[in-house]
């Protein structure tokens, strides 16, 4: 039994070598490195910087972290239709971030099927997404509640949108757009490009997980640690299976449950802040 466990652990820690060939031309390597920095600067890397500054500001406040609140989906305007338009604009921005990563991979000669964005196995991808959502979502909620209880996380309100006719579809669209942007950029694009730059599987995995945790720092320590774990699990499963729809689907499910569940249960259950 122990030998089987060690073998399984070894496979998990040492995924198979990717088929992506490292780039050897120095000029092309510099261009790819610059491209990665530019993509991160205009997408989730910039979000990480803003998130870190937001946490610093929260820590400097006289109010304890767990008595401060941060909303993930908040009203953007007083007028209802203007608010709807701004919510959809944010969704479009996230879709654009993911599309940018996918487009640059295609321009680099990497087909989307090579990173697991194809329709070959929708049923298995859907089942994998459901399993991943349960694996990450339930412990993630527990981690958040513990982190908030000990005062190292802010009170996260997944939605403060009013009870409008468009709240439910906007929350679902927001969840799907978040999942698309994060998983395509962080896993499909970033790890593939780091492979081409000669990074090892473990090094690229840890790098994207740390970045993923960093742009959730505005939530506090719980969000940071929870999303690092999520990045490690999602990234390693992708490295072993080369399927990305599972991670996108799981991330969507986690966010849909958080956004809509909070809107339905806020103020009705004692354990939910």
């Amino acid at each position: 039994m122990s030998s089987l466990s060690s073998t399984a652990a070894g496979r998990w820690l040492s995924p198979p070598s990717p088929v992506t060939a490292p780039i050897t031309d120095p000029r092309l390597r510099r261009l790819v490195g610059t491209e990665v920095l530019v993509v991160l600067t205009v997408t989730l890397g910039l979000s990480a910087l803003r998130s870190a500054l937001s946490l610093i500001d929260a820590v400097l406040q006289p109010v304890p972290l767990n008595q401060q609140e941060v909303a993930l989906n908040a009203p953007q305007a007083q007028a209802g239709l203007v608010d709807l338009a701004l919510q959809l604009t944010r969704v479009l921005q996230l879709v654009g971030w993911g599309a940018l990563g996918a487009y640059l991979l295609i321009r680099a000669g990497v087909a989307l099927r090579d990173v697991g964005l194809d329709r070959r196995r929708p049923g298995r991808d859907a089942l994998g997404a459901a399993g991943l959502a349960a694996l990450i979502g339930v412990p993630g909620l527990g981690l958040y509640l513990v982190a908030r209880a000990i005062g190292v996380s802010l009170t996260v309100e997944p939605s403060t949108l009013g009870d409008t006719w468009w709240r439910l579809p906007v929350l679902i669209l927001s969840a799907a757009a978040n999942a698309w942007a994060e998983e395509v950029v962080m896993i499909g694009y970033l790890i593939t490009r780091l492979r081409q730059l000669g990074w090892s599987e473990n090094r690229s995995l840890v790098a994207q997980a740390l970045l993923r945790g960093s742009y959730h720092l505005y939530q506090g320590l719980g969000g940071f640690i929870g999303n690092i774990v999520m990045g490690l699990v999602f990234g390693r499963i992708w490295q072993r299976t080369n399927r990305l729809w599972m991670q996108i689907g799981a991330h969507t499910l986690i966010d849909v449950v958080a956004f809509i569940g909070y809107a339905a249960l806020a103020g009705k259950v004692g354990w939910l802040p």
Side-chain angles (χ1 to χ4, degrees), residues 66 68-69 141 144-146 148-149 154-158 262 265-273:
N66 60 357
Q68 300 181 46
E69 297 178 350
L141 176 59
Y144 160 69
L145 293 174
V146 170
R148 183 182 177 276
L154 288 78
T155 297
V156 178
E157 296 184 87
Y262 180 86
L265 297 176
K268 300 177 182 178
V269 293
W271 56 268
L272 187 65

Side-chain angles (χ1 to χ4, degrees), residues 110-173:
V110 179
L112 293 185
R113 64 177 178 273
D114 294 336
V115 297
L117 289 175
D118 56 62
R119 294 177 291 180
R120 286 180 297 175
R121 35 179 281 187
R124 293 179 64 183
D125 286 342
L127 288 175
L132 270 179
L135 177 67
I136 297 297
V138 175
L141 176 59
L143 175 62
Y144 160 69
L145 293 174
V146 170
R148 183 182 177 276
I150 64 178
V152 296
S153 283
L154 288 78
T155 297
V156 178
E157 296 184 87
S159 173
T160 57
L161 297 176
D163 189 13
T164 61
W165 63 267
W166 48 262
R167 179 178 65 174
L168 181 62
V170 162
L171 289 176
I172 294 174
L173 287 173

Side-chain angles (χ1 to χ4, degrees), residues 3-256:
S3 61
L4 289 176
S5 299
S6 62
T7 301
R11 288 198 301 266
W12 177 260
L13 294 174
S14 302
S17 300
V19 296
T20 306
I23 297 171
T24 57
D25 179 72
R27 178 179 175 277
L28 187 53
R29 286 177 60 85
R30 287 193 297 269
L31 287 174
V32 171
T34 301
E35 178 195 284
V36 169
L37 291 176
V38 170
V39 170
L40 294 181
T41 298
V42 300
T43 60
L44 294 164
L46 185 60
S47 295
L49 177 58
R50 288 174 174 163
S51 187
L53 293 173
S54 177
L55 178 60
I56 291 172
D57 182 61
V59 170
L60 294 176
Q61 301 303 312
V63 181
L65 281 181
N66 60 357
Q67 295 181 26
Q68 300 181 46
E69 297 178 350
V70 59
L72 304 185
N73 295 279
Q76 301 295 313
Q78 296 295 322
L81 290 180
V82 176
D83 190 13
L84 172 59
L86 288 171
Q87 299 293 336
L88 294 177
T89 299
R90 177 177 174 273
V91 168
L92 181 60
Q93 180 185 45
L94 291 168
V95 172
W97 285 0
L100 174 63
Y103 170 76
L104 290 173
L105 287 177
I106 294 172
R107 283 293 302 268
V110 179
L112 293 185
R113 64 177 178 273
D114 294 336
V115 297
L117 289 175
D118 56 62
R119 294 177 291 180
R120 286 180 297 175
R121 35 179 281 187
R124 293 179 64 183
D125 286 342
L127 288 175
L132 270 179
L135 177 67
I136 297 297
V138 175
L141 176 59
L143 175 62
Y144 160 69
L145 293 174
V146 170
R148 183 182 177 276
I150 64 178
V152 296
S153 283
L154 288 78
T155 297
V156 178
E157 296 184 87
S159 173
T160 57
L161 297 176
D163 189 13
T164 61
W165 63 267
W166 48 262
R167 179 178 65 174
L168 181 62
V170 162
L171 289 176
I172 294 174
L173 287 173
S174 179
N178 274 321
W180 165 259
E182 290 190 40
E183 304 311 327
V184 172
V185 174
M186 287 291 96
I187 294 181
Y189 171 79
L190 183 58
I191 294 182
T192 297
R193 282 315 226 177
L194 292 180
R195 282 172 172 174
Q196 292 177 327
L197 291 175
W199 287 41
S200 69
E201 293 295 279
N202 287 338
R203 187 183 175 196
S204 58
L205 175 71
V206 171
Q208 68 83 25
L210 288 174
L211 181 56
R212 186 188 295 255
S214 297
Y215 58 75
H216 288 89
L217 275 170
Y218 67 93
Q219 299 176 12
L221 189 60
F224 177 66
I225 294 176
N227 279 278
I228 287 178
V229 173
M230 180 176 175
L232 291 173
V233 173
F234 276 25
R236 182 60 97 213
I237 290 176
W238 178 77
Q239 288 174 330
R240 292 196 56 80
T241 66
N242 202 41
R243 302 301 303 168
L244 194 54
W245 284 122
M246 283 196 303
Q247 289 80 353
I248 295 171
H251 195 151
T252 300
L253 287 173
I254 291 170
D255 282 1
V256 165

